[in-house]
Amino acid sequence: MADFDIKEELKKLPSTPGVYLMHDIHDNVIYVGKAVNLKRRVSSYFRKSTKRTSKIESMVSNVNRFEYILTDSELEALILECNLIKEYRPKYNTMLMDDKSYPYICVTVSEDYPRIVLARRMKKDKNRYFGPFTSAQAVKTTIDLLQKIYHIRNCNKSIKAAAFNGTDKEEPKINGRPCLYYHIGQCQGPCQGYVSTKDYEKNVEKAIKFLEGNYMATVEELKGKMQEASDKMEFEQALEYRDLINSINHVAGDQKITSHKFEDRDVIAYAEDGNDAVVQIFFIRSGKLIGREHFYLTVSPGDSGREILTSFIKQYYIGTPFIPRELLVQEEVEDAELLSDMLSRNRNYKVRIVHPMRGEKNKLMILAKKNAANLLEQNKEKYRRQLRRTVGAVKEIEELIGIENVERMESFDISHTSGYETVASMIVYEDGKPKKNKYRKFKMKWVQGNDDYASMREVLLRRFKHGLEEREKIRERIKDDSLDEQYRLGSFSHFPDLLLMDGGKGQVNVALSVLEELGLNIPVCGMVKDDTHSTRGLYYNNEEIDIDIRSEAFKLITRIQDETHRFAITYHRSLRNKKEIHSILDDIEGVGPARRKALMRHFKSIEKIRTASVEELLEVDKINEDIADNIYTFFRKKSE
């Protein structure tokens, strides 16, 4: 991000808990960290007086920008940090790249006499999981606490429930004597049939309620016992109760970041201010918050939250390859059931749109809303600059040539070397921003030699004929081709609102003739260059239109023109290089595609193959003595 000023962004950091992500110049996440105070922690990396390890020094030297996610506590920040590291696997987080994971408390409700155990991972079984927690020691202490209070067994014996015999005890399940824990009053002896399954289950249910967060009654009970022990001057016992209370407070905190039901859901919240709005999405996959995305919207003053969210869901989710089973929204959306039905089409499950009012889901929503508000406040001016450079620039172009509603623009360019390996590029800009996944490249099939106009005609015919064929196939597949077709367009069937040609009158006329031939009505505009090959103006409706070189429209046209040329040149060079490699190796007797690949994989360049000895050539897979001699002799004759 060229407009990201690290010094300025550091000033905007909040002094709250959260997770920060460092990006390099290629926008890869290279480091993920957590902080109790984001401002203090992130700023410390860029403070010259701070002593840093060589590893952190190297990381800081590669930071191009950073971002952050707010959380309610350090505990949540730590859990989110763990999830994001697993997701991004950043280069400088090697100390956390192993298989270590945060501990869970597992209640083995699938057993007749459940146990409470520490687990390093959640499994998709019938057991109940709680966590993850940040301290394994605290988890062990809590398990020990629950075993003491509720007399839960801690052995790993396989104990099957037997029919209750009508007396005070069940029939013994395992021969032998009960263990030490029974004798010290911490286990009721289910292995000996000393407790019925019903009574045991009641204790297990109490333990589960404790782990679900209903632990204040236990805390109050322990406080009472601690005070009682203190009054009796049994200070060791009082200290034990105090330590148990501290352990409860440490591990029983409210954790909204991770859920325990392996569900997939998106949490969608927004914040708005006048004409500006930002929508924040938290992506929860298999119960974990793995990432987030935010989108800026231009809204009209007075637009309701219902309208903002409904509009966003329609634009964002229609056509996306994956939609989770549940969308949590900050406010009720318009026509929720109808929208849900539309999102559920062609899926084997119902997509639910839920407005949570309380509980864990509502807490997630509050967190997403807080991040949306923070993003809007911190990045409002930057967003407005971006809007001027993109959507604003497109509006200027519309005004210059007198058209409206330009969303998608396509630009074409031809590249060759004296008619050799002629290729063309098609690039796509939507809302003033490049959409590189929609770029396409063409190699000439019909035109031979150096004829730019004929080559452009071929490319445009192929591009739009392909699009028309795709549209026809869509019409054959679906009955309703008004709404459904809009969302099922292929890569070529989505036509541009404005066609930009890299050139003036000649290229524009070629494009207009092709569109007329195919019965298409698309505005065509030429990007005129001066003698220094720099953008000079636009050619539209048989006249050249001057552009203010300081305007955003001029800068966008220049970016599009440069990008079209770059994409065409890159493709042409790659084909030319491949042709050179293939032609010289194909002239050698016995060298076919497989041996050619093996040679290039081993030596990396033609020059190294040219200077290689027979012994070095024999080291290559698939190369025998005869072939090695042929290659060696071929290049020696070439050099004579």
Side-chain angles (χ1 to χ4, degrees):
M1 297 178 65
D3 58 351
F4 190 90
D5 187 328
I6 288 180
K7 289 184 179 179
E8 287 300 315
E9 296 303 321
L10 287 173
K11 296 177 184 177
K12 301 176 185 177
L13 281 166
S15 300
T16 56
V19 174
Y20 54 91
L21 297 89
M22 301 293 192
H23 294 253
D24 64 11
I25 196 170
H26 304 295
D27 215 29
N28 298 316
V29 176
I30 59 174
Y31 188 76
V32 175
K34 67 170 180 66
V36 181
N37 185 316
L38 281 167
K39 189 177 189 69
R40 186 166 59 234
R41 180 60 176 155
V42 178
S43 298
S44 70
Y45 287 107
F46 303 96
R47 202 175 295 126
K48 291 183 179 179
S49 60
T50 303
K51 292 184 179 180
R52 297 188 288 253
T53 64
S54 58
K55 180 178 181 179
I56 296 300
E57 191 75 43
S58 175
M59 182 273 289
V60 171
S61 67
N62 285 287
V63 173
N64 186 57
R65 73 177 184 93
F66 60 81
E67 62 173 322
Y68 54 92
I69 303 175
L70 302 178
T71 61
D72 280 345
S73 66
E74 183 187 11
L75 180 64
E76 289 187 1
L78 182 59
I79 297 167
L80 179 55
E81 177 196 33
C82 182
N83 290 341
L84 292 178
I85 288 170
K86 289 179 181 177
E87 175 68 16
Y88 291 109
R89 303 184 70 83
K91 176 180 178 182
Y92 291 99
N93 279 101
T94 49
M95 73 291 290
L96 297 174
M97 294 286 281
D98 57 17
D99 292 330
K100 178 184 176 183
S101 58
Y102 294 109
Y104 296 83
I105 292 177
C106 173
V107 183
T108 60
V109 293
S110 59
E111 299 176 337
D112 291 342
Y113 289 91
R115 295 167 294 139
I116 303 176
V117 297
L118 183 148
R120 282 293 176 184
R121 289 182 178 83
M122 284 197 298
K123 298 179 181 178
K124 292 186 178 181
D125 52 25
K126 296 179 180 179
N127 297 324
R128 292 286 306 274
Y129 291 87
F130 300 88
F133 302 105
T134 57
S135 168
Q137 184 56 50
V139 167
K140 292 174 183 176
T141 304
T142 302
I143 291 173
D144 184 54
L145 163 71
L146 294 173
Q147 288 169 346
K148 289 178 180 178
I149 294 175
Y150 300 114
H151 308 295
I152 306 297
R153 70 185 183 100
N154 69 350
C155 64
N156 57 6
K157 296 175 182 177
S158 177
I159 307 175
K160 298 294 182 183
F164 190 62
N165 63 11
T167 65
D168 292 337
K169 301 178 182 178
E170 285 189 81
E171 296 174 359
K173 314 299 184 299
I174 294 177
N175 294 328
R177 293 175 300 175
C179 66
L180 177 63
Y181 288 98
Y182 169 78
H183 292 292
I184 64 175
Q186 292 186 15
C187 179
Q188 294 174 299
C191 62
Q192 303 301 311
Y194 293 163
V195 59
S196 69
T197 52
K198 268 187 187 177
D199 290 340
Y200 190 89
E201 284 172 2
K202 287 179 182 177
N203 284 342
V204 171
E205 287 172 6
K206 290 178 182 177
I208 289 174
K209 286 182 180 179
F210 176 93
L211 292 169
E212 287 175 336
N214 300 323
Y215 56 89
M216 288 311 299
T218 304
V219 170
E220 291 302 319
E221 181 182 348
L222 287 172
K223 284 182 178 178
K225 290 182 178 180
M226 181 178 67
Q227 186 61 49
E228 184 181 345
S230 178
D231 293 341
K232 294 179 180 179
M233 295 189 178
E234 296 173 353
F235 298 117
E236 289 186 6
Q237 187 68 42
L239 285 173
E240 183 180 339
Y241 288 132
R242 186 204 64 182
D243 292 341
L244 290 174
I245 291 170
N246 289 339
S247 296
I248 293 170
N249 291 332
H250 188 83
V251 300
D254 184 16
Q255 299 182 33
K256 300 186 293 295
I257 290 299
T258 301
S259 178
H260 319 118
K261 298 177 182 177
F262 293 99
E263 74 281 323
D264 292 338
R265 62 163 62 116
D266 286 357
V267 184
I268 309 167
Y270 77 96
E272 54 90 19
D273 181 9
N275 294 99
D276 301 320
V278 62
V279 172
Q280 173 83 69
I281 307 180
F282 281 175
F283 302 108
I284 297 175
R285 300 295 179 260
S286 298
K288 291 184 179 181
L289 175 58
I290 63 166
R292 65 167 184 168
E293 186 62 87
H294 64 272
F295 301 86
Y296 288 98
L297 306 176
T298 301
V299 298
S300 301
D303 280 356
S304 67
R306 288 165 58 91
E307 292 169 330
I308 292 171
L309 291 172
T310 303
S311 176
F312 173 77
I313 290 172
K314 287 178 180 178
Q315 294 178 56
Y316 178 74
Y317 285 101
I318 300 300
T320 56
F322 174 77
I323 302 177
R325 292 177 181 269
E326 191 172 65
L327 305 181
L328 303 185
V329 292
Q330 183 179 333
E331 296 182 21
E332 295 281 0
V333 298
E334 299 172 343
D335 299 320
E337 191 60 34
L338 182 63
L339 193 56
S340 175
D341 290 343
M342 187 165 63
L343 296 176
S344 303
R345 289 181 314 154
N346 304 319
R347 289 177 170 80
N348 59 3
Y349 56 85
K350 176 80 170 178
V351 177
R352 299 173 62 243
I353 303 176
V354 179
H355 170 45
M357 301 293 291
R358 60 184 64 85
E360 176 192 351
K361 294 179 180 180
N362 184 53
K363 291 172 184 175
L364 275 168
M365 181 58 60
I366 292 171
L367 192 61
K369 182 180 178 180
K370 182 188 295 184
N371 277 271
N374 180 71
L375 281 166
L376 184 61
E377 179 62 30
Q378 299 295 338
N379 299 304
K380 190 184 300 182
E381 187 53 42
K382 182 171 70 175
Y383 163 62
R384 288 174 178 169
R385 288 198 305 271
Q386 291 175 342
L387 206 61
R388 287 194 295 270
R389 294 177 67 247
T390 55
V391 176
V394 174
K395 292 294 182 186
E396 288 182 14
I397 294 171
E398 290 177 350
E399 292 173 4
L400 281 168
I401 61 179
I403 63 174
E404 295 180 344
N405 301 321
V406 173
E407 178 186 341
R408 176 180 171 120
M409 297 185 290
E410 291 182 6
S411 177
F412 293 80
D413 191 20
I414 302 294
S415 180
H416 58 79
T417 303
S418 301
Y420 172 74
E421 288 289 0
T422 303
V423 299
S425 64
M426 163 186 150
I427 72 160
V428 179
Y429 270 61
E430 291 181 357
D431 292 325
K433 292 178 283 190
K435 296 294 179 181
K436 295 192 176 183
N437 61 325
K438 298 180 181 180
Y439 287 12
R440 295 294 181 267
K441 45 197 177 187
F442 302 83
K443 186 177 179 181
M444 294 306 106
K445 293 181 178 179
W446 313 331
V447 177
Q448 301 294 326
N450 186 4
D451 190 337
D452 284 0
Y453 289 158
S455 297
M456 184 61 73
R457 176 177 173 78
E458 174 186 334
V459 170
L460 293 175
L461 277 170
R462 286 166 58 188
R463 183 263 178 270
F464 287 108
K465 278 186 175 181
H466 194 165
L468 291 169
E469 289 169 0
E470 280 188 358
R471 290 188 169 196
E472 187 59 36
K473 288 178 182 178
I474 292 169
R475 292 190 182 96
E476 292 173 0
R477 286 201 309 265
I478 57 180
K479 295 179 181 178
D480 180 8
D481 63 353
S482 58
L483 175 65
D484 224 7
E485 179 183 354
Q486 178 184 353
Y487 299 119
R488 298 175 65 178
L489 295 175
S491 59
F492 282 106
S493 51
H494 190 177
F495 289 170
D497 304 306
L498 178 64
L499 196 58
L500 294 169
M501 308 304 299
D502 188 38
K505 182 177 180 179
Q507 294 286 21
V508 169
N509 287 338
V510 169
L512 289 171
S513 67
V514 169
L515 294 173
E516 183 179 4
E517 182 179 333
L518 298 176
L520 298 173
N521 182 23
I522 299 173
V524 182
C525 191
M527 299 180 289
V528 184
K529 297 178 181 178
D530 57 22
D531 295 336
T532 63
H533 212 66
S534 299
T535 305
R536 184 180 74 203
L538 296 175
Y539 183 83
Y540 184 72
N541 278 350
N542 295 318
E543 65 175 289
E544 186 173 322
I545 303 169
D546 292 330
I547 311 177
D548 183 353
I549 61 173
R550 296 166 298 182
S551 68
E552 294 296 345
F554 180 86
K555 295 172 185 175
L556 177 59
I557 291 294
T558 301
R559 290 197 298 272
I560 292 173
Q561 202 167 30
D562 291 344
E563 179 69 353
T564 311
H565 187 62
R566 179 201 65 78
F567 194 56
I569 286 289
T570 302
Y571 181 43
H572 172 64
R573 284 175 179 166
S574 68
L575 287 182
R576 190 176 62 196
N577 291 341
K578 288 179 183 177
K579 189 74 175 178
E580 289 173 356
I581 291 170
H582 290 181
S583 61
I584 196 166
L585 294 181
D586 285 345
D587 289 341
I588 304 173
E589 184 180 353
V591 177
R595 285 176 175 147
R596 184 175 63 234
K597 287 181 182 177
L599 285 164
M600 288 306 300
R601 191 179 300 115
H602 183 85
F603 289 103
K604 309 299 182 186
S605 71
I606 290 292
E607 187 58 35
K608 289 183 179 179
I609 298 173
R610 188 193 310 275
T611 58
S613 64
V614 172
E615 289 75 16
E616 289 172 328
L617 291 166
L618 285 171
E619 294 176 4
V620 181
D621 186 34
K622 302 181 186 299
I623 303 296
N624 56 34
E625 290 187 14
D626 291 338
I627 302 300
D629 285 335
N630 289 346
I631 297 169
Y632 183 83
T633 304
F634 174 84
F635 282 113
R636 295 306 172 278
K637 287 183 178 179
K638 281 278 186 182
S639 60
E640 290 177 358

